[in-house]
Amino acid sequence: MKLRLNKLMAGLTMAGGVAALVGCGNGGAPDLKVLTPEQPQITAPYKYAFIFEDAFGKAVTDELTVTVVGDAVDGGELVDANNADVKGQTYKITNGVLAVAADFDKTTAKDVFTVVGGNRTLGWNESGIQISKSTSSAGDQVIKITLTNTNAAKVTELNNDTSIGLAMKVESLPTTTTGTVADTPITIASPAKTVTNEAAVAVPVGTATVTIPAGTKAVDSSGAAINLTSGVQVSVTKYSSEDASGLSAFPGGFTPSVVVPSTAPVGTIGTGATADTGAFTSGGFAQFNVTDPATGQALKKFDTPLILKIDLPKTTLDFEGNPVVVGGKFPIWSFDQESGKWVYETDGIIKEKSPVDPDKFEVEFPSTHLSYWNLDFYGQTCDGVLNINRKDANGNSLSTDDRPLSVELKGLSGQGFHMEFTITDSILELARYPRFTPTKVTVTDSNGVVRGSKNRVNLCQDNQFVDVTLPITVKASLQVNVTESCKDGVSGIRPSPTNIKFVPTAGGLTQFGVSSNVGSVARVTLNGIAPTTAGTLSVYNRFTGGYQNSSVTVNAPSTVRNFNFPSLNCTTGGVPIE
């Protein structure tokens, strides 16, 4: 994800003031003293906004528990929006946004970290994304993470929506006589479903299946059995590897740092790649969860191997573009939420389903632990460049146009690969593009309208481009000014460092920005918004750790919104200002 993002999301920057005690003369009156220190300035050059969404692209507003893990975290290279070290922190977010910044050159730590969020008590299965310096650019980046929910109504809605390449089965198992997972063998499979992909072609999502032997015990990290007094909830989610909506929910990202044990077969990592430089092409992936409903605890380890199956499209190709065949081997990986890395587990054997399925093979394997599981080849990459040729309807160049565009790359010809970026200029620079994978490029505007596309693009080749036709239109901006003050709302006013999120009501690009101090205010300006766009504006309050939401319609040329947080601890002549 090495992007030219110097203008992304209206100059997303993290800045604050310098901690100080403010004294204000008052014409002979006792001095006003603001006792609350200002928030220190964040200087880490790599800035990220992680947006948690559901499978339908809507922000998750339930409380989520989010952690940040990985080598860069252990090395002290990451801070949150309050300039605090993220190591050991657990974040409770209620607006689907977590902002962090990284200084990858601060230590000699390996420059990789993973953000993982969820809340099983409210039905949100965990998911996350891995970020590395090699796939980032200094500046501003907005990253989306898709979560699924096990609540019955949401599962039904998901399974009935043929535009989303995910299918889920949730089953509650009763309390057993011995406190085990199941008294009798249990097999649970995701439902059959067909999704209409971006090419308007109906493709089967395929199924994922878990079989739990009778008497299986859930165990903790020490191997001690967990007594299950309220039964368990089992969820199985299958993600399509042939549809953009399924691929976009892929946890960990397609360019992760991976773990390959020394006992792994030769060739697990493709020729020319290393554990920190390769990319995945996926044949299929699934999430298997067992949860104790009494506590919301994720049950991850078991004393008896469970049997897992994941469907594999018969059109699947290996990393070099060769068709897979029955009897062939397919590398199997699991997502380690504690380290934030994909770990090679074993080679599965490709076989026909019973009865034979015209579209799908399957891969079966045993495991004593559950997480996301992935059928993937991991191989050689290149640094690619894609030129976005912005033009008007008459073919005239729009070289200075800076409205935000979404650029999506989706693998073709049986090689599951997906990346999506938002840019405001005309060059996409991408590190770790899978060398032998042609992709379809689709460019949409902030209203979700496709403005350009091109089939069979390989960014490892020179002079790759896509033409984008944009209407000549008046553009509007949203300017948000944020201050903090004494509790009277008028004394001690100063900039209040913040971040904001603007979500258009009718859909389209979510925009995110972090403030810079301008005079007496902390200001965020979002550009390139279509006039009369209505949406929800969320402004972060550093004093509460939550967001203040407001409806807003952005009109040309600019709409200004002012926010003040009267939360400072102030005195005048030793008397608190209320």
Side-chain angles (χ1 to χ4, degrees), residues 138-166:
D140 318 309
Q141 298 168 69
V142 178
I143 314 294
K144 294 181 180 180
I145 299 173
T146 300
L147 302 182
T148 56
N149 192 288
T150 59
N151 291 338
K154 292 184 180 292
V155 173
T156 299
E157 183 182 13
L158 176 68
N159 290 336
N160 289 341
D161 193 327
T162 59
S163 68
I164 297 177
L166 285 77

Side-chain angles (χ1 to χ4, degrees), residues 118-140:
N119 184 340
R120 292 203 186 185
T121 301
L122 298 179
W124 294 105
N125 286 329
E126 303 88 353
S127 189
I129 190 76
Q130 187 186 108
I131 302 295
S132 66
K133 180 179 179 180
S134 67
T135 57
S136 301
S137 289
D140 318 309

Side-chain angles (χ1 to χ4, degrees), residues 6-313:
N6 51 303
K7 299 179 182 177
L8 174 61
M9 293 309 184
L12 185 66
T13 57
M14 289 186 174
V18 179
L21 189 68
V22 179
C24 302
N26 195 18
D31 281 349
L32 168 70
K33 292 185 178 181
V34 179
L35 304 179
T36 307
E38 293 187 52
Q39 185 171 327
Q41 182 175 356
I42 294 176
T43 59
Y46 295 81
K47 306 174 183 71
Y48 307 89
F50 295 96
I51 311 294
F52 289 86
E53 296 183 343
D54 65 15
F56 305 93
K58 298 178 181 177
V60 177
T61 56
D62 289 338
E63 181 178 270
L64 299 176
T65 299
V66 184
T67 57
V68 188
V69 297
D71 298 329
V73 175
D74 294 337
E77 295 184 332
L78 269 75
V79 296
D80 59 23
N82 292 319
N83 206 32
D85 192 331
V86 305
K87 186 175 182 179
Q89 298 292 325
T90 298
Y91 296 95
K92 302 291 186 180
I93 64 173
T94 56
N95 203 50
V97 180
L98 180 72
V100 302
D103 184 354
F104 287 127
D105 298 322
K106 182 178 179 180
T107 69
T108 58
K110 189 174 291 185
D111 296 328
V112 60
F113 69 94
T114 301
V115 175
V116 177
N119 184 340
R120 292 203 186 185
T121 301
L122 298 179
W124 294 105
N125 286 329
E126 303 88 353
S127 189
I129 190 76
Q130 187 186 108
I131 302 295
S132 66
K133 180 179 179 180
S134 67
T135 57
S136 301
S137 289
D140 318 309
Q141 298 168 69
V142 178
I143 314 294
K144 294 181 180 180
I145 299 173
T146 300
L147 302 182
T148 56
N149 192 288
T150 59
N151 291 338
K154 292 184 180 292
V155 173
T156 299
E157 183 182 13
L158 176 68
N159 290 336
N160 289 341
D161 193 327
T162 59
S163 68
I164 297 177
L166 285 77
M168 180 187 290
K169 174 68 173 180
V170 179
E171 189 166 326
S172 294
L173 305 185
T175 303
T176 65
T177 57
T178 57
T180 59
V181 177
D183 274 340
T184 59
I186 298 291
T187 296
I188 299 173
S190 62
K193 177 181 176 180
T194 298
V195 59
T196 302
N197 66 16
E198 61 282 353
V201 176
V203 294
V205 172
T207 59
T209 304
V210 57
T211 296
I212 304 172
T216 298
K217 296 179 180 179
V219 297
D220 61 22
S221 58
S222 68
I226 299 173
N227 188 29
L228 303 172
T229 59
S230 301
V232 297
Q233 182 191 75
V234 182
S235 68
V236 179
T237 308
K238 177 65 172 66
Y239 298 75
S240 172
S241 60
E242 300 178 278
D243 168 72
S245 64
L247 290 167
S248 66
F250 186 88
F254 283 87
T255 55
S257 174
V258 299
V259 177
V260 180
S262 59
T263 54
V266 174
T268 297
I269 294 180
T271 303
T274 69
D276 298 315
T277 66
F280 277 145
T281 58
S282 179
F285 59 105
Q287 185 182 37
F288 302 91
N289 284 330
V290 178
T291 305
D292 181 350
T295 62
Q297 178 183 3
L299 305 176
K300 293 289 189 180
K301 298 182 179 181
F302 305 89
D303 69 342
T304 302
L306 313 183
I307 304 301
L308 309 179
K309 295 180 182 179
I310 300 176
D311 277 3
L312 177 72

Side-chain angles (χ1 to χ4, degrees), residues 281 315-324 330 377 412-415:
T281 58
T315 56
T316 301
L317 306 177
D318 66 18
F319 200 87
E320 286 75 29
N322 304 305
V324 300
F330 214 114
F377 295 107
L412 297 177
S413 304
Q415 293 175 300

